[in-house]
């Protein structure tokens, strides 16, 4: 008799814990497959320290194959689930397609960025959900401080060294706290000509910083921020983002080149297309994390609405503390459904919160005991070392080196602005030029894509003017963002996702014990442009997911079982035609021969050069 097949979608806190626990419980009695876009588990609570230059990126990336030796890793993104056929369809990182059969399916896709219908935010802001965004923010902040230090004009200097963070939750508070320390260290070594200093702003419509925490800890965090010169404005948010700065809800205007979007998360819309009962975008499950009426389907983490047995009538919040514990209980119940062990209901006990504010400062209440100052800092870092599933020695070594050595404030230029747009459906994977065409992305007349994205500005096509590989923008230094733009990338005019009860700071990413927000999932972190349940507008395909029956044929594809992909952006999401010339095909080359693909964009100053096709038909010689 063949062994049962278990497929886990997503390797965030819930998915990773499920895979690790199942591997131990089944002991080779089942085939476990983990589907994830990246080959690492990202420990999101320490991501602000990556952006501040304290930790190297690999320190917070735990290898999946190295720590899950008995779990098969499949790189790809789930874009179709046939519950009756017991299959999961996915698209790989190079455009290849595949199908995974299952006897038990665990959905742990996590959460995605929450966009609000604020004009200009999708075009000029950047999120903070994955490693590419953290690396971009570190380079961008370093570059702006260096350009401000060399500027003679006080207005330009003030705009470049002003950094606006929207969302005073755990993530936004830590980004502002660590960012202020990072830029102050730069200015101490290289003062600006105009005598100005970097200015950080933290905005939120909430009445206080981190409203989810105990009020005493909230006051501690705000006091530390103000001591470092952070301009904390509660009850205020962004009304409009422009290429020169932002307009605030109080009517004031702030000139800036940096807008960091940390307003919160929402469940991944993958589960919405299943046609099963939902609760505010989350899949309803019973206390055993099993979907009623579907004995083969389990869900945990941010995509699951798990009943809170300690508070009847409520559901567990979307935090990493719960996602990590969901994973363990889910694995035990999946194993029990296969005859291994017994089922158990999910119950939790609040372990408290920890917030790292940089240096020796932190705010924490482990087991309900409020702490601040160096004692809280020691508890916070000790907790992170204990909670990380790997790389503990390397993280501790980086902390020690940071305490005795100055930080290396250099911009590596590895991630450019156009690689990490805010509306990206997968912030854990940076966009790259020359990427293969995804299914359902055929280019229409005049280079216009069916989903409303202009083909000439999409990776794999020809970069737009001012982008790497294209014609540089006027008056812009090489590798810099578009002139006067905080985000630097012309993006779709997309209104964003559903509002969070008119709270731009609502449902912020959590940095609680047990991990950081379940937005930490590797599979997730995608910003959606439409309403709940609408197709994606970011350019990545999401196939229609059916709960029953075979999948209808996809028009024009010639392959059965695929549903056509509707545009989620609509006419408002279309970009104007790129001025850099006619758009090129975004699809992969049809000739599998050795000649380089014709759609490879010319290497620019911001990207690693790829193969260059000579006009005389011969292959280029040497290292291009």
């Amino acid at each position: 008799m063949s062994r049962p097949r278990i497929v886990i979608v997503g390797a965030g806190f819930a998915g990773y814990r499920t895979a690790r626990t199942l591997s131990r419980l089944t002991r080779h009695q089942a085939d476990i497959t983990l589907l994830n876009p990246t080959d690492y588990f990202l420990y999101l609570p320490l991501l602000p320290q990556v952006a501040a230059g304290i930790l190297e990126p690999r320190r917070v990336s735990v290898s999946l194959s190295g720590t899950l030796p008995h779990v098969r890793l499949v790189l790809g993104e789930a874009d179709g689930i046939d519950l009756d056929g017991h299959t999961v369809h996915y698209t790989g990182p190079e455009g290849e397609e595949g199908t995974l059969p299952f006897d038990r399916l665990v959905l742990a896709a996590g959460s995605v960025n929450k966009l609000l219908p604020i004009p200009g935010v999708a075009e000029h802001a950047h999120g903070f959900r994955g490693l590419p965004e953290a690396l971009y923010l570190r380079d961008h902040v370093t570059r702006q401080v260096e350009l401000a230090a060399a500027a003679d004009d006080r207005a330009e200097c003030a705009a470049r060294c002003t950094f606006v963070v929207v969302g005073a939750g755990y993530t936004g508070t830590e980004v502002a706290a660590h960012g202020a320390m990072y830029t102050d260290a730069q200015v101490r070594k290289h003062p600006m000509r105009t005598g100005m200093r970097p200015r950080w702003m933290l905005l939120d419509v909430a009445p206080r910083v981190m409203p989810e925490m105990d009020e005493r800890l909230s006051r501690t965090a705000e006091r530390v921020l103000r001591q470092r010169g952070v301009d904390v404005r509660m009850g205020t948010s962004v009304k409009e983002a422009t290429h020169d700065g932002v307009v605030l809800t109080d009517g004031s205007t702030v000139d800036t080149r940096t807008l960091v979007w940390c307003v919160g998360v929402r469940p991944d819309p993958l589960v919405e297309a299943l046609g099963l009962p939902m609760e505010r975008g989350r899949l309803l499950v019973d206390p055993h994390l099993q979907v009623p009426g579907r004995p083969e389907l389990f869900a945990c983490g941010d995509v699951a609405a798990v009943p809170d047995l300690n508070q009847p009538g409520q559901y567990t919040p979307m935090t990493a503390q719960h996602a990590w514990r969901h994973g363990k209980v889910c694995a035990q119940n999946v194993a029990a459904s296969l005859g291994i062990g017994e089922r158990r209901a999910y119950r939790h006990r609040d372990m408290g919160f920890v917030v790292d504010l940089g240096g020796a400062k932190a705010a924490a209440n482990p087991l309900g005991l409020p702490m601040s100052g160096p004692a809280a800092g020691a508890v916070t870092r000790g907790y992170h070392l204990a909670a990380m599933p790997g790389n503990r020695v390397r993280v501790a070594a980086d902390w020690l080196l940071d305490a005795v050595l100055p930080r290396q404030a250099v911009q590596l230029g590895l991630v450019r602005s156009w690689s990490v747009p805010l509306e990206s459906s997968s912030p854990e994977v940076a966009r790259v030029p020359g990427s293969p065409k995804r299914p359902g992305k055929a280019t229409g007349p005049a280079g216009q894509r069916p989903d409303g994205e202009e083909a000439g500005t999409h990776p794999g096509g020809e970069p737009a003017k001012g982008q790497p590989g294209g014609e540089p923008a006027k008056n812009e230094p090489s590798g810099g963002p578009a002139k006067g733009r905080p985000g630097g990338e012309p993006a779709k005019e997309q209104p964003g996702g559903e509002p969070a009860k008119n709270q731009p700071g609502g449902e912020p990413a959590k940095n609680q014990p047990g991990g950081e927000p379940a937005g930490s999932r590797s599979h997730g972190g995608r910003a959606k442009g439409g309403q709940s349940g609408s197709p994606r507008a970011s350019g990545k395909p999401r196939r229609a997911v059916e709960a029953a029956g075979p999948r209808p044929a996809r028009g024009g594809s010639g392959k059965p079982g695929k549903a056509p992909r509707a545009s989620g952006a609509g006419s408002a999401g279309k970009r104007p035609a790129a001025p850099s010339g006619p758009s090129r095909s975004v699809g992969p080359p049809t000739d599998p021969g050795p000649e380089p693909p014709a759609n490879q964009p010319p290497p620019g100053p911001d990207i690693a050069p790829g193969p260059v096709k000579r006009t005389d038909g011969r292959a280029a010689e040497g290292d291009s």
Side-chain angles (χ1 to χ4, degrees):
M1 182 177 179
S2 61
R3 296 188 297 182
R5 299 161 299 184
I6 305 173
V7 174
I8 304 171
V9 178
F13 279 94
Y16 180 86
R17 186 79 183 275
T18 301
R20 193 173 72 171
T21 307
L22 264 176
S23 176
R24 176 178 55 84
L25 293 176
T26 57
R27 298 182 182 275
H28 309 287
Q29 299 180 42
D31 293 329
I32 306 173
T33 301
L34 180 61
L35 178 63
N36 199 59
T38 62
D39 64 347
Y40 59 83
F41 159 75
L42 179 62
Y43 190 76
L44 262 174
L46 297 180
L47 198 59
Q49 299 190 26
V50 174
I54 300 175
L55 298 176
E56 289 303 312
R58 287 184 296 177
R59 304 295 186 260
V60 299
S61 308
V62 179
S63 170
L64 295 177
S65 58
T67 56
L68 302 173
H70 304 299
V71 175
R72 177 194 174 200
L73 173 64
V74 175
L75 294 179
E77 182 178 0
D79 50 23
I81 300 176
D82 185 353
L83 293 180
D84 288 343
H86 284 208
T87 57
V88 176
H89 187 278
Y90 69 92
T91 302
E94 296 183 354
E96 68 278 11
E97 300 181 12
T99 302
L100 298 174
F102 65 84
D103 298 306
R104 298 291 185 274
L105 176 63
V106 179
L107 293 178
S111 53
V112 301
N113 282 318
K114 176 179 292 182
L115 285 178
L116 302 179
I118 300 176
V121 166
E123 294 85 352
H124 306 294
H126 283 82
F128 198 78
R129 303 281 302 156
L131 273 180
E133 292 172 322
L135 293 176
Y136 164 75
L137 182 61
R138 183 170 68 180
D139 277 3
H140 175 76
V141 169
T142 304
R143 178 170 59 252
Q144 295 306 312
V145 172
E146 292 171 348
L147 293 175
D152 294 323
D153 181 65
R154 290 185 62 87
E156 179 186 357
C157 179
R160 291 194 179 278
C161 63
T162 298
F163 309 95
V164 178
V165 181
V166 183
Y170 294 90
T171 301
T173 300
E174 290 190 340
V175 168
H178 284 279
M181 292 186 64
Y182 181 59
T183 53
D184 286 345
Q186 285 184 267
V187 174
R188 279 196 297 269
K189 292 187 294 184
H190 302 287
M192 298 182 182
R193 296 183 184 181
T194 57
M196 303 184 69
R197 297 188 63 83
R199 175 192 181 195
W200 284 80
M201 297 182 64
L202 181 62
L203 311 176
D204 203 318
V205 296
R208 56 187 176 91
V209 174
M210 294 185 298
E212 298 82 6
M213 286 191 79
D214 180 81
E215 189 172 352
R216 289 174 293 180
L217 298 183
S218 178
R219 289 196 301 265
T220 298
E222 183 172 349
R223 182 175 65 252
V224 172
L225 291 173
R226 295 190 183 278
Q227 288 174 351
R228 293 180 182 166
V230 178
D231 185 0
V232 181
R233 299 192 183 184
M234 295 292 98
T236 306
S237 187
V238 173
K239 181 179 180 181
E240 180 183 0
T242 67
H243 65 281
D244 292 322
V246 294
V247 179
L248 305 184
T249 53
D250 59 6
S252 61
T253 301
V254 178
D255 295 334
T256 181
R257 302 292 187 269
T258 308
L259 181 59
V260 187
W261 192 254
C262 302
V263 299
V265 295
R266 56 173 293 210
D268 192 306
L270 171 66
V271 299
E272 295 177 352
L274 289 172
L276 298 174
M278 308 290 293
E279 170 63 28
R280 300 182 63 181
R282 304 163 72 183
L283 191 62
L284 277 173
V285 298
D286 59 23
H288 300 93
L289 306 178
Q290 194 169 21
V291 176
R294 288 284 179 178
E296 78 284 0
L297 181 60
F298 295 79
C300 55
D302 286 0
V303 298
V306 182
D308 191 341
L309 299 182
N310 295 330
Q311 303 181 48
Q314 299 187 21
Y315 299 94
T316 58
M318 296 167 57
T319 67
Q321 182 180 108
H322 286 286
W324 188 252
R325 298 174 182 180
H326 284 176
K328 181 179 180 180
V329 175
C330 184
Q332 293 173 337
N333 291 334
V334 170
S337 70
L338 300 175
I340 304 173
E342 297 180 356
R343 292 204 313 168
R344 56 170 292 193
Y346 176 75
R347 292 182 179 272
H348 74 281
R349 184 169 66 96
D350 190 1
M351 302 294 292
F353 307 90
V354 293
V355 179
D356 191 335
L357 301 175
K361 300 296 181 65
N365 62 344
L367 302 177
L369 177 64
M371 301 178 66
S372 61
V379 169
T380 298
R381 293 199 168 185
Y383 164 76
H384 286 316
L385 287 180
M388 287 193 68
N391 298 341
R392 297 185 181 94
V393 175
R394 291 183 173 92
V395 170
D398 276 2
W399 283 341
L400 178 61
L401 292 176
D402 179 70
V404 298
L405 297 176
R407 298 181 194 177
Q408 295 176 300
V410 296
Q411 45 174 319
L412 302 179
L414 299 178
V415 181
R416 307 310 305 165
S417 173
W418 57 270
S419 298
V420 285
L422 181 62
E423 80 277 13
S424 172
S425 60
S426 295
E428 71 276 10
V429 180
R431 292 186 180 180
V432 295
S435 59
K437 180 172 71 173
R438 298 286 188 179
K441 298 265 190 136
T443 304
Q448 194 69 32
R449 294 161 51 87
D451 57 0
E453 181 175 355
E454 206 264 346
T457 59
H458 187 267
E462 182 172 337
K465 182 176 181 180
Q467 293 196 6
E471 182 178 349
K474 295 181 180 180
N475 302 325
E476 276 300 300
S478 174
K483 181 178 181 181
R485 297 196 173 192
E489 169 170 18
K492 297 188 277 274
E493 295 180 1
Q494 181 147 335
E498 61 182 15
K501 295 183 180 180
N502 301 322
Q503 295 267 347
E507 290 187 36
K510 305 294 186 292
N511 186 10
Q512 304 194 11
E516 149 95 345
S520 59
R521 68 171 187 88
S522 302
H523 181 77
R526 310 183 200 127
K528 303 297 177 267
Q531 295 293 332
S532 177
S534 64
R536 299 185 176 189
S538 62
K540 261 198 171 181
R542 174 74 75 185
R543 302 181 191 280
V545 185
E546 300 182 39
R551 289 176 288 189
R554 180 176 59 183
S557 68
K559 297 180 180 180
K562 307 292 190 303
R565 180 185 183 279
S567 169
S571 59
K574 297 181 180 179
R575 299 184 184 177
S580 56
S583 62
R584 304 180 185 179
S585 170
V586 298
T590 56
D591 182 12
E595 186 163 308
N599 66 335
Q600 179 72 32
D606 303 323
I607 60 175
V612 180
K613 183 176 180 181
R614 296 173 60 99
T615 57
D616 57 5
R618 295 180 297 167
E621 297 179 359
D623 185 0
S624 60

